[in-house]
């Protein structure tokens, strides 16, 4: 059951955890609201857990262009 972190904007894989057992509280999942969990965590048909995050490139773009925060997707 790999945990795959992907950028919510560009889809780039940011990282992957391949451990069989993971303490989700160490990953900070217990700090997320129910709404954030629904928005950020998805369980894929192949058994992977996908976490939507933001990569450094998209974070830099948002920092340079703050009006992008108004858009659901800013990468075309």
């Amino acid at each position: 059951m790999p945990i795959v972190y992907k950028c919510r904007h560009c889809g780039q894989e940011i990282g992957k955890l391949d451990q069989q057992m993971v303490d989700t509280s160490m990953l900070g999942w217990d700090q997320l609201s129910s709404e954030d969990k629904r928005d950020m965590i998805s369980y894929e048909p192949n058994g992977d857990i996908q976490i939507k995050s933001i990569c450094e490139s998209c974070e830099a773009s948002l920092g340079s262009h703050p009006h992008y925060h108004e858009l659901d997707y800013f990468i075309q």
Side-chain angles (χ1 to χ4, degrees):
M1 155 187 88
I3 299 173
V4 181
Y5 287 81
K6 286 193 172 185
C7 180
R8 70 174 54 252
H9 300 288
C10 69
Q12 176 183 345
E13 185 174 306
I14 300 168
K16 187 175 190 177
L17 299 172
D18 283 320
Q19 284 119 347
Q20 291 298 318
M21 294 188 64
V22 176
D23 182 359
T24 57
S25 65
M26 291 191 70
L27 297 176
W29 293 7
D30 59 331
Q31 302 295 313
L32 297 173
S33 68
S34 296
E35 184 179 331
D36 287 339
K37 286 179 186 176
R38 281 191 304 274
D39 184 44
M40 295 176 67
I41 302 171
S42 62
Y43 298 88
E44 303 301 312
N46 66 356
D48 289 359
I49 299 173
Q50 183 174 309
I51 309 297
K52 294 177 191 162
S53 188
I54 185 167
C55 70
E56 290 179 1
S57 296
C58 290
E59 184 176 20
S61 293
L62 286 168
S64 298
H65 307 281
H67 62 282
Y68 285 176
H69 284 281
E70 300 170 3
L71 308 173
D72 289 332
Y73 300 97
F74 62 88
I75 295 183
Q76 303 293 322

